[in-house]
Amino acid sequence: MQTLIEKAAQRLAGERRGAAMTGAGVSVESGIPDFRSRGGLWTRFPPEEYATIQAFRRDPEKVWRMLAEMEKTLDASSPNPGHRALAELETLGVLEAVVTQNIDGLHSRAGSRGVVEFHGSHRTLTCLWCGNACKREEVRQLPVPPRCSCGKVLKPDVVFFGETIPEKALHDAARVADTCRVLLVAGTSAEVYPANQLPSRAKRRGALIVEINVAPTLLTDSVTDIFIEGKAGEALPLLAEAVKRLL
Ligand code: OAD
């Protein structure tokens, strides 16, 4: 693993135009289970029943049973060494952006500034019926499910299946993929479209793809150039240390 980390560090330190794309795996060490691993959220709440926009419109109270559990986990979480290492790589001047599929806000809390929240965020909510928007802080004390002043159930601004990616996030992520020279792909199964297209897009533009995951994924044999098998919270700090030594 050390040799692969050194190799990735050399390219990051040399190019100084890296980016990261992250998934639920980077927050596992913050106590947030991922979606598809054993015991993951989608193994207990089938996404077709709990995570499509049609399901939310049909029965928002039911979907909020899943969301309430998720919010509880998010409230108890804080950034781990993997999030902090990505923030440090940005401070060192070798990483320009983190495109994340996570809605937990932990990259920003760790100090990353160039964060693209591809699947939205749980920090704000919107009423699908009257369009009213509010912050989570404003509804935190309300009974679950939180309701808008119009009486309907509020929806967090996270992307449900069947919804489109926020336009700005789509645009910003495409720019990141087109301009980075090294892309760190950490803690994602790469099963969800269109986020899973970003690594191959970056590779077509000449970027080196460095994947960090506890297990191989759909990308590993096809798109990945360097596969670092390990926990993001362990491998990313080692990578940041190696870059620091080289600068
Ligand atoms: P998944 O649950 O599909 O994949 C998590 C990945 O992280 C797997 O490949 C695990 O092997 C890996 N992993 C687990 N623990 C790890 C660790 N400590 N370090 C490194 N890797 C680890 O989650 P995502 O790929 O993020 O979207 O899922 C993508 C999207 O699917 C989510 O954003 C969400 C979900 O449906 C929506 O809700 C729209």
Side-chain angles (χ1 to χ4, degrees):
M1 172 153 135
Q2 198 56 38
T3 322
L4 296 174
I5 286 175
E6 285 297 333
K7 248 180 162 176
Q10 270 161 14
R11 284 293 289 272
L12 268 175
E15 302 275 7
R16 297 191 182 217
R17 260 175 50 210
M21 173 186 152
T22 65
V26 298
S27 293
V28 164
E29 289 153 271
S30 292
I32 306 173
D34 66 11
F35 295 94
R36 296 177 178 78
S37 299
R38 204 142 49 95
L41 202 65
W42 294 163
T43 64
R44 291 178 298 119
F45 295 100
E48 57 284 4
E49 276 181 57
Y50 288 91
T52 68
I53 190 62
Q54 294 82 359
F56 188 88
R57 284 185 183 280
R58 200 167 47 236
D59 192 348
E61 283 86 359
K62 175 176 172 176
V63 171
W64 262 99
R65 288 206 285 277
M66 178 271 290
L67 291 172
E69 181 179 315
M70 201 180 199
E71 294 286 358
K72 211 166 135 195
T73 313
L74 296 182
D75 280 345
S77 68
S78 50
N80 69 54
H83 298 108
R84 286 195 288 274
L86 289 174
E88 187 176 10
L89 288 168
E90 185 182 329
T91 306
L92 290 170
V94 301
L95 200 83
E96 290 177 341
V98 179
V99 178
T100 186
Q101 296 165 86
N102 302 343
I103 51 107
D104 54 34
L106 292 181
H107 286 300
S108 301
R109 279 177 61 193
S112 287
R113 278 158 300 166
V115 180
V116 179
E117 292 182 311
F118 202 77
H119 287 162
S121 157
H122 81 123
R123 290 185 302 272
T124 56
L125 304 93
T126 303
C127 175
L128 296 181
W129 289 270
C130 78
N132 206 10
C134 63
K135 291 200 173 79
R136 179 146 187 275
E137 299 314 314
E138 299 167 37
V139 300
R140 194 193 285 273
Q141 306 305 337
L142 298 182
V144 174
R147 289 182 184 273
C148 177
S149 51
C150 77
K152 297 285 195 182
V153 174
L154 289 160
K155 176 188 164 293
D157 293 335
V158 301
V159 176
F160 276 53
F161 289 107
E163 287 191 297
T164 52
I165 305 298
E167 207 173 310
K168 183 166 181 335
L170 202 56
H171 176 269
D172 289 350
R175 186 186 45 77
V176 169
D178 289 347
T179 56
C180 71
R181 302 294 304 147
V182 179
L183 183 66
L184 307 176
V185 182
T188 178
S189 62
E191 289 194 18
V192 174
Y193 177 89
N196 64 358
Q197 301 301 299
L198 294 171
S200 49
R201 181 170 179 150
K203 191 178 175 88
R204 281 199 299 279
R205 296 289 189 118
L208 179 85
I209 309 299
V210 179
E211 186 180 15
I212 297 131
N213 201 303
V214 290
T217 69
L218 298 172
L219 301 174
T220 311
D221 288 334
S222 51
V223 178
T224 301
D225 297 301
I226 298 177
F227 180 59
I228 299 171
E229 188 161 1
K231 292 182 177 178
E234 293 172 3
L236 289 170
L238 291 174
L239 183 61
E241 279 306 310
V243 168
K244 239 195 300 189
R245 281 196 299 274
L246 291 166
L247 291 176

